[in-house]
Amino acid sequence: MRTSCLFFTALLLMLIPLAAQAIVLVAAELPPYVIRAKQGNPSGMVIEIMEEAARRLGEPLTVELMPLARALTETNHRQDVLFVPPVRSARREHLYDWIAPLLEEDFVIVTDRRHHPVPLKVRELPALRVGTLRYSFGETLLRQRLNLASQTVATEVLNAHKLHRGRIDAWVAAWNTILYNQQLGGYDEARLVRGETLMSTSLFVAANKAFPAEQKRRWQATLARIRADGSLARIIKQYHYQAPVR
């Protein structure tokens, strides 16, 4: 009798739908793509895109917000997480599984027109003080292309402050990052002089190389639909995103 009860209990448990497991999203704090909120959950263009995808998939989304350097490392060691918004590059190619592109970006040189009113060329940078975000793609670009060590900071808004005060001559980052952090620092965008573009690239959703293949396909398909039906464009428009001109 006890054996029969155990059998039917096990069968009943099998028939009860299991609650959807939360997807963990490792999010590097990079405004305006990922923005730390003063209260509540983080926001930003990429966060809203991923939340919309999770809603369509019927899967809860748990966001773990952290600095870029830690996010890069965490994704290397955790097989069950998604990661936003890294740049796909030759150096990073073998480290992650690149799920889907999200946004196009230009990595550019900017100056403050009070100090450098003429747009800068890449060849001029070695003689100047250049600011970048620590462990960022901008820092990597300067090392790879010019073997140039930049002055790094923990957040991009610090580069906005340094450029305004004349403590750096130029700032290298993604164009939309520069615009957002210039405003966040309380400075007029009209003071920025956009120089040469170092690289045009994409921001991605990535994952550990061992991320489940079936999950990968589901997220890829859902993100493709979000792009195709105009939802992605609607989300990023709220953040005044400026698409690169090709």
Side-chain angles (χ1 to χ4, degrees):
M1 180 70 178
R2 179 179 174 81
T3 302
S4 298
C5 288
L6 289 173
F7 172 77
F8 284 112
T9 300
L11 181 62
L12 181 62
L13 289 172
M14 291 174 65
L15 294 175
I16 297 174
L18 295 176
Q21 290 188 340
I23 290 292
V24 176
L25 180 67
V26 170
E29 187 178 351
L30 292 169
Y33 321 111
V34 178
I35 304 170
R36 181 184 296 276
K38 291 182 180 178
Q39 292 183 338
N41 296 326
S43 61
M45 287 188 274
V46 167
I47 295 296
E48 288 202 34
I49 294 167
M50 296 301 288
E51 287 176 339
E52 175 62 16
R55 185 189 66 77
R56 295 188 188 197
L57 287 166
E59 297 180 359
L61 189 68
T62 298
V63 180
E64 294 185 7
L65 187 65
M66 59 190 72
L68 175 60
R70 184 182 164 200
L72 290 163
T73 302
E74 286 276 325
T75 310
N76 257 329
H77 293 92
R78 296 170 63 182
Q79 299 181 5
D80 58 344
V81 300
L82 294 172
F83 169 33
V84 292
V87 172
R88 188 173 187 172
S89 66
R91 179 170 290 187
R92 294 174 179 172
E93 182 68 30
H94 69 287
L95 297 176
Y96 308 105
D97 194 352
W98 300 93
I99 306 297
L102 292 174
L103 300 167
E104 300 300 311
E105 266 295 1
D106 283 342
F107 279 77
V108 301
I109 308 164
V110 298
T111 57
D112 187 310
R113 70 174 62 255
R114 296 172 304 163
H115 310 301
H116 293 274
V118 178
L120 285 180
K121 299 290 185 181
V122 173
R123 65 177 181 271
E124 299 175 80
L125 293 181
L128 302 175
R129 298 166 300 171
V130 184
T132 61
L133 178 69
R134 191 171 300 128
Y135 302 113
S136 68
F137 188 63
E139 180 189 9
T140 300
L141 273 177
L142 291 176
R143 286 188 181 277
Q144 288 179 340
R145 291 191 58 178
L146 301 173
N147 194 28
L148 180 63
S150 53
Q151 297 185 20
T152 62
V153 291
T155 63
E156 291 285 21
V157 72
L158 292 176
N159 278 320
H161 292 319
K162 291 177 72 174
L163 189 70
H164 173 75
R165 294 167 185 165
R167 292 171 55 195
I168 55 175
D169 303 304
W171 176 11
V172 170
W175 177 237
N176 285 281
T177 295
I178 289 170
L179 291 176
Y180 182 88
N181 284 279
Q182 179 78 351
Q183 183 180 41
L184 185 64
Y187 309 121
D188 190 346
E189 291 178 14
R191 286 185 174 176
L192 296 174
V193 177
R194 179 169 172 166
E196 189 173 355
T197 298
L198 279 78
M199 182 175 286
S200 297
T201 186
S202 298
L203 305 183
F204 267 76
V205 182
N208 186 283
K209 298 286 278 188
F211 190 76
E214 179 56 31
Q215 278 280 54
K216 174 183 175 179
R217 286 191 289 269
R218 294 175 70 237
W219 278 86
Q220 284 176 329
T222 303
L223 288 166
R225 286 195 293 271
I226 288 172
R227 182 180 295 276
D229 68 18
S231 297
L232 187 147
R234 174 183 53 77
I235 291 169
I236 62 180
K237 184 178 180 180
Q238 301 173 73
Y239 292 86
H240 308 291
Y241 166 77
Q242 293 186 16
V245 178
R246 299 288 187 256

